[in-house]
Amino acid sequence: MNLKKTVILGCLGLGLSVMATAQAHEAHHGHQPADSASSTAGQPLKPLAARFDLSNNKLRTEWYLWRDADAVETADLATGQNNIWERQGKNDYSYRRVFHRDQRVVEYTPGEIRTRNAEPDWVKLASVVSPELLDSLKRGPSRMQFGQRAVRYSGILNGQKIELWWLEQARLPARLQIIGPQQRMELSLKEIHTEAPATWPRATDERIASYGKIDASDFGDMESDPFVARVMQQDGHHHAH
């Protein structure tokens, strides 16, 4: 399983290949303006919580993001799944996939993540859009949205038309639209808070206390478990017999 692709590019329940493609284009772009996105790349990301409307072709759902100094959590109401990344020290990460409908949690330890070479791009994880993608798009006009400046970015990457309204202070998309030959995806910000409402579907310790825990390193020995078999199939992992 390509864990990095699954949990970062697929964190929206989407196949956002354009995010990865942007990195390949980065080397072909020249000097960026002083006020471009790259000028804020080294600044700490501020904790926040955000609620989005997400549509991907015929799929429509609410999608949530919680961002703390050393943790990023997302929730997708369509799949009933939360994903939780935690940063432990400078280069170690742990990851939990919470499946509410199955009442199961799949846990990836720092060692397992290193073994899979799946360390995340933390900025992209916490901001949905990577600095490389911003630098690969054309910067346009700005306007006020959610009480702060939003800048329009646009371009075509890998045959996909991209339009992004980027909140510079929050470092989040206010709106992201990707249109390709077989995909039309739109992510629209609806709410943003410094602290999330208590009613938002976060996977708190209390909420998942009774869920069954599975160490991802044990997957190969648990293929007879229907839940494990389904997750492995979804991830594109085929165990050799």
Side-chain angles (χ1 to χ4, degrees), residues 7-51:
V7 300
I8 298 178
L9 303 186
C11 68
L12 302 179
L14 305 171
L16 297 185
S17 59
V18 68
M19 301 299 188
T21 304
Q23 296 180 359
H25 285 252
E26 181 186 10
H28 300 289
H29 286 258
H31 177 70
Q32 295 293 321
D35 62 347
S36 74
S38 58
S39 67
T40 62
Q43 298 177 9
L45 291 162
K46 295 181 179 180
L48 54 77
R51 179 177 69 86

Side-chain angles (χ1 to χ4, degrees), residues 1-120:
M1 177 180 96
N2 186 338
L3 178 63
K4 185 173 289 189
K5 181 178 180 181
T6 299
V7 300
I8 298 178
L9 303 186
C11 68
L12 302 179
L14 305 171
L16 297 185
S17 59
V18 68
M19 301 299 188
T21 304
Q23 296 180 359
H25 285 252
E26 181 186 10
H28 300 289
H29 286 258
H31 177 70
Q32 295 293 321
D35 62 347
S36 74
S38 58
S39 67
T40 62
Q43 298 177 9
L45 291 162
K46 295 181 179 180
L48 54 77
R51 179 177 69 86
F52 296 85
D53 279 350
L54 170 64
S55 64
N56 184 33
N57 294 338
K58 294 184 179 180
L59 171 68
R60 296 184 183 278
T61 186
E62 287 186 331
W63 189 81
Y64 296 81
L65 170 74
W66 295 264
R67 184 172 79 196
D68 299 311
D70 292 307
V72 174
E73 179 176 348
T74 63
D76 184 341
L77 294 191
T79 62
Q81 182 175 338
N82 286 44
N83 296 318
I84 306 168
W85 279 95
E86 293 180 284
R87 184 164 50 183
Q88 302 175 357
K90 186 177 180 180
N91 297 310
D92 279 341
Y93 304 89
S94 64
Y95 175 51
R96 288 179 291 166
R97 303 168 72 185
V98 181
F99 298 83
H100 296 291
R101 293 168 188 169
D102 299 278
Q103 296 194 350
R104 297 283 194 99
V105 180
V106 179
E107 300 176 329
Y108 298 79
T109 65
E112 180 71 12
I113 291 170
R114 286 194 301 270
T115 297
R116 296 170 182 258
N117 190 30
E119 294 85 352

